[in-house]
Amino acid sequence: MSEAAAAHADEHHEPYTSTGIPTKKVLMWAFLGSDCMFFGTLISTHLIYRKISATVGTNYLDIRDIFDIELTSFSTFILLASSLFMALAVSAIHKGNLNSTRWMLFGTIIFGGIFLACQVYEFTHFAYAPGNELTLSSYRGEPHVFGSTFFVLTGTHGTHVAIGVFWLLGWLAYSFTGKMSTADAMDIECCGLYWHFVDIVWIIIFPVVYLMEYAL
Amino acid sequence: MATESVKYVAPETKPKTLLDVFRRPDQHVTGIRDWLTTIDHKKIGLLYGLVALCSLIFGGMQALLIRSQLWAPNQELLTPREYNQMFTMHGTIMVFLVIMPLSAAFFNFVMPLQIGARDVAFPRLNALSLWCFVAGAIILNLSWFFTGGAPAIGWFAYSPLTDVRFEEVARDLGPDFWVFGIQVLGLASLLASFNFIATLINMRAPGMTMMRMPVFCWMTLVVSFLIILAFPAITIALVELMFDRNYGTNFYDFLEGGKPHLWQHLFWIFGHPEVYILILPAMGIVSEVVPTFSRKPLFGYGLVIFSGAIIGFMGFAVWSHHMFTTGMGIVATSAFSMLTMLIAIPTGVKIFNWIGTMWGGKIRFDTPMLFALGFITMFMVGGFTGIMHSSVPIDMQQQDTYFVVAHFHYVLIGGALFGLFCGFYFWLPKMTGRMLDEKMGKIVFTLMFIGFNTTFFPMHYLGMIGQPRRTHSYNAGNGFEMWNQIATVGAFILGIGILLGVIQFMRSFRDKSLKPAGKNPWDARSLEWTLSSPVKEYNFARTPIVKARDQAWENNYGPRELHSEKEPLDHHGVHMPDHSWYPLFTAIGFLVLVIGMLFHSSLGADGEIIRNYTVPIIGGIIAITSMIMWSLEGPGGYHLFPEEDEE
Ligand code: HEM
Ligand SMILES: [Cu+2]
């Protein structure tokens, strides 16, 4: 076989795809579809147990005693607002506006960080609330499942947010190398898809885990 | 310039220092470094196949031990605990380390060739899937060497068997190895499936529309969707179990408010789609082989695909047929019973399609076709018994007896394994460039067919007269003795058949005396048969422009306007991505992390639990660093300039 191995040096051109959709995006959508099932399983576990081992109504198991709904509403708002920054970051990089991209990424990271800080505060606060402790295995010293489903569900969501924050930090760092260009727009858009998805999941978790304890 | 010949000079590749060993290899790398860093879908496919075939031998030996223990009433060849460990490991290995990776081997090797692609969409991710799979296999099998030995919880790991409070051996690590092993294997399957979906949706050659894709590619797509939608359920179930065992949560702990029943639901929401994950690839293979050896196009192509998709879809709605005896209530039980009966319809449709394909065809009975016919008949038997226990009152009798064992071995060996062996006899010539010995193939088929039926047919009867499954021994005088002995004899015949087959596959890579295969030895129908055997590293010198379904066939026998064309030679040549170490390193990071998690806690002097996360953190750092390096190194690559027809 005759061959010549040219060292790469590829020009930039959009690679051909059958659907015209960038392949990374297809991958991301497939992953998000799968992630829906991850959260679906966790949320159903929570709802099933909520039904069969009630947390509201009986005296010693009223979970409202330790929920801090104002704080959680605030952090929910913050997380939703971060999605706006994310969308602006994507639009900025598409236009090639590096400076604005950088600031919007920064905003997303800060808001994500605030959300995480609230969650860390909430977790420690719950676990050490005097006389009211909610732990992985008990509530007020009694064996209970609420702590198990609550911490594992919201903790998994928090892990998703944290991964998102690190991913965005990666982009922020990259933006200072001088290599960032509109060619990265697609990758940042994928990151954005992930971020919005994690937000949407919280929009489900907040009513299902928190608000419902007040309504029903 | 395109076909200009440049003299090939092998650069110095012998690494001199340790650092050289781990430098990113260039295209001239050979030997072990090539295999460890490869991102070529064909080599990855072969590696999947190699590990899976070794696991098949290993899992088969465990099965023979199980059968030997059941040779006579009240034997003590294995202790009850050892017996439980054997059937747990046997089931887990056969499902996760044999059938799934064998399917993945074919997905990897064949699918990109069939759609005219250069590789899968994300070659390095593909390598990560492979190495995660290997890491999972290592974790699972390591369990034998630590406290408590292998898990003794069944492949279904029903709670409360996994509850720390009911352990036979204090601080038994077996179930933990099982939990983490399956978790890592699940990660491997998920990553591979994302990749296959992206490939099938986006990397098809021009003209290769969805409805021109070979059925095998369609089944790859359906199975990938099943995996990404079903594995999350088991992943979360395993996370919950991991928390229960390590951090005192109460998900499945009935003494503290949890419900063991939840595990069964989550397991079977995964478990039933999983059985279709195991069978659909084999159905795809058979749908390629039957038309080839009947010399007719597949009868009802659209219907075969549609029924495959329907099976995949409905597969999510029948899980509770594994739980008819748990007391779910009349409504749920009847609904699941009805849906289970319904799912038999699309399954039956496929059988009729294969029969319709053979009808009036010029059938050749080469080994692949024999296995395909074995598949169709044996799978039918398994399907019938499946429909039998979709009826609740009947299942109440059959649940947990050998009848169920007979059912799922007919679909898993007679179905999935026969289908995969069919795939080996069909595609190995494409992989090695050499034909397999027909005589040997027929011996393997005969041994497997006879051995398989001798082993498992009597189990129908044993189940109906009441022999329970998952039970270490039985008393004399129940009429079990003779049939158990027949089954054991059959198992050894089957074992010899499989062993001979595996040896034949492995040897065909080396044995120079075998006949060369040429491009299209079977006169087969899809694109991979337009390439030389073995396939060149770049697959297609020029991207094909597809004009028809069954393109290879149309090229030989079809009208002119249906012959495929080729894109003009690109003056850039064929772009090949570089090898990479990082997929392997990332998987090693995961392996260290998991091993660390398995041993992170110890008992202090006063019986309190001491936790030490050093090793898991080191593992995590290895994995994350590798991933960062991975994204920084980029795909890299070089160009090859094949001659016009060097395909
Ligand atoms: C016609 C389609 C099928 C129907 C109606 C069907 C129905 C059933 C039912 C009702 C059971 C539960 C029996 C019991 O535990 O009492 C069962 C068990 C099982 N089936 Fe099927 N099945 C079908 C096809 C398949 C296929 C294609 C596979 C795999 C390739 C499969 C693998 C299994 C396995 C592994 C079990 C036993 C699981 C365990 O308890 O460990 N089945 N089947
Ligand atoms: Cu099932």
Side-chain angles (χ1 to χ4, degrees), chain A residues 13-17 20-23:
Chain A
H13 51 85
E14 277 297 314
Y16 166 83
T17 68
I21 307 168
T23 310

Side-chain angles (χ1 to χ4, degrees), chain A residues 1-11 13 16-39 41-42 44-46 48-49 52-53 136-138 142-153 156 174 179, chain B residues 3-8 27-28 121-122 125 190 194-195 197-198 201-207 228-229 231-233 235-237 239-240 243 247-252 255-259 262 266 316 536-538 572 575 578 636-643 646:
Chain A
M1 181 175 77
S2 71
E3 65 173 350
H8 45 99
D10 232 15
E11 301 96 279
H13 51 85
Y16 166 83
T17 68
S18 315
T19 53
I21 307 168
T23 310
K24 273 192 190 150
K25 232 185 217 170
V26 176
L27 187 85
M28 199 64 209
W29 279 111
F31 166 71
L32 295 183
S34 182
D35 218 11
C36 281
M37 298 302 282
F38 280 100
F39 280 108
T41 312
L42 279 166
S44 350
T45 304
H46 181 81
I48 291 165
Y49 276 135
I52 56 183
S53 53
L136 277 170
S137 52
S138 65
E142 303 270 338
H144 206 278
V145 202
F146 191 87
S148 310
T149 61
F150 174 82
F151 283 117
V152 174
L153 168 56
T156 306
Y174 189 71
K179 287 189 207 140
Chain B
T3 50
E4 167 197 13
S5 292
V6 177
K7 229 10 317 64
Y8 167 76
Q27 75 254 45
H28 304 297
F122 299 94
L125 189 64
L190 283 167
F194 297 140
N195 215 337
I197 290 175
I201 290 185
N202 252 357
M203 311 293 284
R204 284 167 287 128
I228 69 168
L229 298 176
F231 265 80
T235 306
I236 295 300
V239 166
E240 293 175 352
F243 269 91
Y247 301 103
T249 53
N250 304 325
F251 287 104
Y252 309 118
L255 293 175
E256 316 232 297
K259 301 275 168 192
L262 179 70
L266 294 184
F316 282 97
K536 293 279 190 324
E537 52 184 326
Y538 47 78
H572 287 316
H575 179 259
D578 273 328
Y638 52 95
H639 292 87
L640 291 179
F641 297 92
E643 298 282 1
E646 273 187 313

Side-chain angles (χ1 to χ4, degrees), chain B residues 475-492:
Chain B
N475 288 332
N478 290 320
F480 298 160
E481 294 91 333
M482 182 180 71
W483 295 113
N484 272 301
Q485 295 195 339
I486 291 177
T488 304
V489 172
F492 279 90

Side-chain angles (χ1 to χ4, degrees), chain A residues 30-69:
Chain A
F31 166 71
L32 295 183
S34 182
D35 218 11
C36 281
M37 298 302 282
F38 280 100
F39 280 108
T41 312
L42 279 166
I43 293 172
S44 350
T45 304
H46 181 81
L47 286 180
I48 291 165
Y49 276 135
R50 188 188 170 279
K51 188 89 193 293
I52 56 183
S53 53
T55 49
V56 187
T58 47
N59 253 346
Y60 68 97
L61 280 180
D62 194 341
I63 205 75
R64 286 174 296 201
D65 289 350
I66 81 165
F67 270 1
D68 185 346
I69 197 70

Side-chain angles (χ1 to χ4, degrees), chain B residues 155-156 268 272 275-276 278-279 321-322 324 340 343-344 347 379 383 386-387 389-390 395 398-400 404 407-408 411-412 469-470:
Chain B
W155 88 283
F156 39 82
W268 289 117
H272 191 81
V275 307
Y276 288 106
L278 301 172
I279 197 69
H321 64 213
H322 296 273
F324 282 154
T340 305
I343 204 171
T347 316
F379 180 75
I387 300 173
H389 41 232
S390 64
D395 187 61
Q398 293 168 346
Q399 166 98 68
D400 278 343
V404 175
H407 158 68
F408 66 74
V411 281
L412 285 173
R469 69 186 276 215
R470 305 164 184 155

Side-chain angles (χ1 to χ4, degrees), chain A residues 76-153:
Chain A
T76 304
F77 174 75
I78 289 290
L79 191 65
L80 295 191
S82 76
S83 255
L84 177 65
F85 283 118
M86 190 67 235
L88 291 176
V90 172
S91 125
I93 187 70
H94 270 297
K95 293 193 190 110
N97 187 340
L98 254 179
N99 198 34
S100 159
T101 310
R102 201 175 281 154
W103 278 109
M104 292 306 143
L105 285 176
F106 185 66
T108 322
I109 292 167
I110 293 294
F111 274 36
I114 296 177
F115 176 84
L116 283 176
C118 289
Q119 198 170 35
V120 169
Y121 170 79
E122 188 186 43
F123 277 20
T124 41
H125 180 73
F126 286 0
Y128 298 109
N132 251 345
E133 304 91 346
L134 179 69
T135 70
L136 277 170
S137 52
S138 65
Y139 184 47
R140 292 183 176 157
E142 303 270 338
H144 206 278
V145 202
F146 191 87
S148 310
T149 61
F150 174 82
F151 283 117
V152 174
L153 168 56

